[in-house]
Amino acid sequence: MVIAVDFDGTIVEHCYPNIGEERPYATEILKKLIADRHKLILWTVREGKLLDEAVNWCAERGVTFYAVNSDSSDMFKEAKDKNFSCKLNADYFIDDKNIGGLPDWPTIYKIITTGLSYRHILYKRIREEFVEQRPPSPKWMFWK
């Protein structure tokens, strides 16, 4: 799969134009996704020197991207050559501005590898927590 990943607020805490602290497990999960043969695109508003800093920051931690702020499709290259904007082609977009917020990185990995929705994973967690909090039934209540 092709996965577009934002930088500020997603891989690192949002401190633009500076680079914030890494979000927990971000680079570890990104390296796992690369090892799983997914193509990662760094998708950010950073340009020029600020973009180079972000790419280098990731590379220093072992995360290299398939592409940066573009994809490699011919349609995208043609549109770029004609000065038209073109929507990035990806299967998933990981961004801190998602409706519902950004899940933690282990959950993002689970969503991608299992194909489950974030909603499904949340419902499952809520059910598991509810069962754990329920007090055990007294033994004399054989019907429970």
Side-chain angles (χ1 to χ4, degrees):
M1 279 190 269
V2 178
I3 304 167
V5 184
D6 181 34
F7 185 71
D8 295 291
T10 304
I11 297 174
V12 297
E13 296 295 331
H14 193 26
C15 291
Y16 183 85
N18 299 319
I19 295 178
E21 293 293 317
E22 179 181 349
R23 292 183 61 103
Y25 306 106
T27 56
E28 182 181 334
I29 298 298
L30 291 171
K31 287 188 281 188
K32 281 182 83 168
L33 290 170
I34 292 168
D36 291 348
R37 303 188 60 129
H38 296 289
K39 294 179 179 179
L40 301 184
I41 298 172
L42 182 62
W43 178 48
T44 178
V45 298
R46 288 177 175 256
E47 296 178 324
K49 182 181 174 200
L50 296 176
L51 178 58
D52 291 340
E53 289 173 358
V55 170
N56 292 335
W57 185 94
C58 291
E60 288 169 4
R61 286 152 183 82
V63 178
T64 55
F65 294 95
Y66 166 74
V68 177
N69 284 341
S70 68
D71 60 23
S72 63
S73 72
D74 293 333
M75 183 178 81
F76 186 85
K77 288 178 184 173
E78 285 177 24
K80 196 171 183 179
D81 291 340
K82 295 178 183 176
N83 293 325
F84 291 104
S85 75
C86 185
K87 190 173 184 175
L88 194 65
N89 183 23
D91 298 301
Y92 284 106
F93 292 84
I94 303 173
D95 193 322
D96 61 311
K97 301 298 183 189
N98 293 331
I99 293 178
L102 180 70
D104 59 67
W105 278 97
T107 300
I108 290 170
Y109 186 76
K110 189 173 187 177
I111 290 168
I112 292 169
T113 57
T114 63
L116 296 174
S117 69
Y118 188 36
R119 181 178 182 184
H120 179 86
I121 290 170
L122 286 177
Y123 281 153
K124 186 176 181 209
R125 281 187 190 161
I126 290 169
R127 282 194 306 266
E128 288 170 356
E129 287 176 14
F130 179 73
V131 169
E132 288 175 7
Q133 292 176 0
R134 182 183 282 169
S137 299
K139 291 186 180 192
W140 57 268
M141 300 175 89
F142 64 90
W143 60 89
K144 288 194 174 184

